[in-house]
């Protein structure tokens, strides 16, 4: 038996389990030795102990290896080219089309490995391989799914204008040096599960059209998922920023501090338990993403869009915001930067994902309404504290108001859900009325303008009552009943109304009666307005001081 054989019993597993082959067991592979359970090399050794691909590197003829490899790759056959545990030297392959499956498993590329303008029509596999020197793929097209599982890139690796028609699998792969994916396009699903990026990693102007999975991946150094370095040369069909059009999983991903990330997503994004601590997410659009139990502490979130994100358990301590950072609202609506004081914004109650009244949330959650409320209250409280620490008063106010609204709604449900006794429903009713009054009059202490508006309404309301029912008289003892002259003498009516408003304003502010005095039931109306005025003035200064302290 030739010494050119392979005794590692694991490398062929990826071939047997491949979705692109009918091989069901190692025994189906040519060269399988059933007795010793090894796969022997079937190539001719030419009188030597080893074939050209398995010779010791010290005696290996580089040109011979390259010619033999090209010869194998150019063959028009459906039989796979199997190369296991090979030791290969410097290889630069250019301008060819490979029409057969290529299975290079458990091999070692000791020198530079470069593919330029190559097209693979069938499945290529390079699992459990080691690339010791620079690896450079330029203008390479893979028409079938690529597998590089459990491989190791010891030196720099670059993928320029590479196209994965059916996706790629980099599961458990380690990139020990810098890694660059430049204008890469994938039309199939890509998997980077538990992939380790030890040094600087760049996804520049890439486009992933189907699901992309980074489950458990680690970015141990700087990660840049953004624009290409040379935007002028970007193909018109490739977006100038890295974009994920399908579902993306970043679950349990860990990014190194100061990583700069700028990503565009269109599908569902799962970033639960991901570690973005101290990363730069400025301008990133993560709307609708799952960030449960993720770490965003000390993260820069300037101009970031996190509307509709699931933030339960997300660590947002010391995250840095600006006025354009958004957490609340419908992720499908147009984002409005800065503080929005439009009528539409005032009417539209922006809510977090868990809020039972969030209409944009799809009813796919397994949580009950009560569990959603508890999560919503927790998220609102966290965002309120974040707004306070970041001096984002609008976020702080909105989250506080939403949390108080949920408490008010709970009181209302308690009124009708309690089946026995009278005490508990009465207490719940009293709490609901108190909350309702607080929201209408002063927005739970957040709006001094509401207090001013209701103060003005009170003054005008009492003024009209005084002249309508003749509850005040002037210094000459003439009772003011201006309502009777509204149609007969409009000038007298408005003169009387102005005097009544003047009297009402003085009473409301507890200054004096002026040149008027109450008569009959007017004394009671005056006392009531005085009490209301004292209360409203106290509320106004309380709310004003509360707002000024934020």
């Amino acid at each position: 038996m030739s010494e050119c054989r392979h005794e590692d019993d694991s490398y062929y597993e990826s071939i047997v389990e491949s979705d692109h082959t009918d091989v069901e067991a190692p025994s189906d592979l040519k060269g399988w030795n059933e007795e010793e359970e090894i796969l022997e090399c079937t190539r001719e050794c030419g009188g030597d102990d080893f074939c050209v691909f398995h010779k010791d590197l010290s005696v290996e003829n580089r040109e011979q290896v390259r010619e033999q490899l090209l010869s194998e790759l150019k063959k028009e056959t459906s039989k796979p080219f199997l190369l296991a545990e090979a030791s290969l030297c410097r290889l630069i392959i250019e301008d060819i089309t490979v029409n057969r499956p290529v299975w290079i498993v458990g091999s070692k590329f000791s020198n530079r490995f470069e593919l330029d303008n190559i097209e693979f029509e069938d499945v290529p596999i390079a699992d459990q391989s080691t690339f010791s020197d620079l690896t450079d793929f330029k203008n390479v097209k893979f028409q079938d799914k690529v597998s590089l599982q459990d491989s190791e890139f010891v030196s720099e690796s670059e993928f320029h204008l590479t196209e994965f028609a059916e996706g790629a699998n980099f599961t458990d792969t380690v990139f020990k040096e810098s890694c660059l994916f430049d204008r890469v396009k994938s039309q199939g699903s890509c998997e980077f599960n538990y992939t380790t990026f030890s040094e600087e990693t760049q996804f520049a102007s890439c486009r992933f059209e189907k699901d992309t999975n980074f489950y458990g991946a680690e970015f141990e150094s700087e990660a840049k998922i953004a624009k290409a370095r040379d935007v002028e040369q970007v193909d018109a069909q490739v977006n100038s920023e890295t974009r994920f059009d399908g579902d993306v999983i970043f679950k349990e991903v860990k990014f190194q501090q100061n990583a700069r990330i700028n990503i565009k997503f269109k599908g569902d994004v799962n970033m639960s338990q991901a570690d973005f601590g101290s990363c730069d997410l400025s301008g990133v659009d993560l709307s609708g993403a799952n960030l449960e139990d993720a770490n965003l502490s000390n993260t820069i979130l300037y101009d970031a869009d996190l509307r509709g994100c699931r933030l339960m358990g997300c660590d947002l301590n010391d995250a840095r915001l600006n006025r354009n950072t958004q957490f609340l609202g419908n992720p499908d609506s147009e984002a409005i930067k800065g503080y929005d004081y439009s009528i539409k914004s005032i009417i539209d109650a922006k809510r977090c994902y868990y809020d039972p009244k969030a209409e944009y949330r799809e009813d796919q959650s397994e949580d009950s309404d009560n569990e959603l409320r508890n999560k919503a209250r927790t998220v609102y409280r966290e965002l309120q504290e974040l707004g306070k620490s970041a001096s984002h008063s609008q976020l702080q106010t909105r989250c506080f108001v939403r949390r108080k609204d949920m408490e008010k709604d709970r009181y209302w449900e308690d009124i009708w859900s309690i089946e026995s006794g009278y005490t508990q429903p009465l207490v719940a009713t009293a709490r609901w009325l108190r909350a309702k009054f607080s929201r209408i009059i002063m927005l739970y202490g957040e709006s001094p303008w509401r207090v001013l508006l209701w103060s003005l309404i009170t003054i005008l309301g009492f003024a009209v009552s005084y002249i309508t029912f003749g509850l005040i008289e002037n210094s000459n003892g003439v009772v003011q009943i201006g309502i009777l002259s509204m149609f007969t003498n409009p000038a007298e009516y408005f003169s009387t109304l102005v005097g009544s408003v003047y009297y009402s304003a003085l009473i409301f502010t507890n200054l004096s009666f002026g040149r008027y005095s109450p008569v009959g039931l007017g004394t009671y109306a005056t006392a009531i307005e005085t009490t209301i005025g004292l209360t409203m003035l106290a509320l106004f200064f309380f709310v004003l001081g509360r707002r000024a302290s934020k």
Side-chain angles (χ1 to χ4, degrees), residues 21-287:
T21 178
D22 296 329
V23 177
E24 297 180 355
S27 57
D28 296 335
L29 296 173
K30 185 179 179 181
W32 176 253
N33 188 321
E34 186 71 31
E35 181 179 350
E36 298 189 30
E37 293 187 349
I38 60 173
L39 190 68
E40 299 176 354
C41 179
T42 59
R43 297 180 182 85
E44 294 183 1
C45 297
D48 298 325
D49 291 333
F50 299 94
C51 72
V52 66
F53 295 115
H54 295 107
K55 287 182 179 180
D56 186 80
L57 287 177
S58 60
V59 297
E60 189 174 37
N61 187 310
R62 296 182 178 182
E63 190 61 30
Q64 184 183 6
V65 171
R66 183 176 181 278
E67 290 179 359
Q68 183 67 30
L69 184 60
L70 284 175
S71 174
E72 293 286 354
L73 295 178
K74 290 180 179 180
K75 287 182 179 179
E76 297 288 340
T77 177
S78 60
K79 294 182 179 180
F81 169 53
L82 173 60
L83 187 60
E85 294 186 19
S87 296
L88 303 173
C89 57
R90 179 185 177 96
L91 284 175
I92 299 178
I93 304 175
E94 301 173 320
D95 305 319
I96 66 169
T97 298
V98 181
N99 295 309
R100 64 186 300 190
V102 178
W103 298 343
I104 301 178
V105 183
S107 298
K108 183 176 181 180
F109 297 81
S110 300
N111 298 98
R112 179 174 181 142
F113 180 55
E114 180 178 328
L115 298 179
D116 189 356
N117 195 26
I118 309 295
E119 182 173 354
F120 290 88
E121 296 287 348
D122 213 320
V123 55
I125 297 176
D127 294 346
Q128 303 176 32
S129 297
T130 301
F131 300 85
S132 300
D133 207 332
L134 174 65
T135 304
D136 191 1
F137 287 20
K138 296 179 181 177
N139 296 297
V140 180
K141 292 185 179 181
F142 298 96
Q143 299 297 344
D144 214 322
K145 188 160 187 175
V146 183
S147 180
L148 286 163
Q149 296 185 71
D150 200 21
S151 294
E152 184 179 40
F153 292 83
V154 180
S155 188
E156 295 90 348
S157 54
E158 299 181 358
F159 297 82
H160 297 277
L161 292 170
T162 302
E163 183 175 337
F164 303 105
E166 296 294 331
N169 190 344
F170 290 88
T171 298
D172 289 316
T173 295
V174 178
F175 295 90
K176 289 192 173 182
E177 293 294 334
S178 61
C179 176
L180 171 62
F181 289 83
D182 177 25
R183 289 163 282 176
V184 170
K185 182 179 180 180
S186 175
Q187 297 172 308
S189 61
C190 287
E191 299 177 9
F192 294 88
N193 300 323
Y194 300 104
T195 301
T196 300
F197 301 90
S198 300
E199 296 296 333
E200 180 180 343
T201 303
Q202 294 188 56
F203 286 82
S205 291
C206 301
R207 181 169 180 178
F208 297 89
E209 297 182 0
K210 293 293 180 66
D211 299 351
T212 308
N213 193 338
F214 285 86
Y215 187 97
E218 288 193 18
F219 294 82
E220 297 179 349
S221 187
E222 183 177 6
K224 297 181 180 180
I225 306 179
K227 295 183 179 180
R229 294 176 295 180
D230 192 355
V231 179
E232 289 77 7
Q233 297 181 5
V234 177
D235 192 296
Q237 297 180 353
V238 181
N239 196 285
S240 62
E241 293 181 346
T242 297
R243 195 172 95 188
F244 297 89
D245 292 341
D247 296 345
V248 183
I249 297 178
F250 274 92
K251 188 174 182 180
E252 297 184 16
V253 170
K254 183 177 181 180
F255 289 90
Q256 181 65 14
Q257 294 184 3
N258 304 318
R260 175 71 175 92
I261 303 170
N262 184 7
I263 317 173
K264 283 190 176 182
F265 299 101
K266 279 192 174 181
D268 294 334
V269 185
N270 186 346
M271 293 185 170
S272 58
Q273 303 178 50
D275 187 354
F276 293 96
S278 301
C279 292
D280 186 352
L281 296 177
S282 298
V284 69
D285 184 357
L286 293 176
S287 54

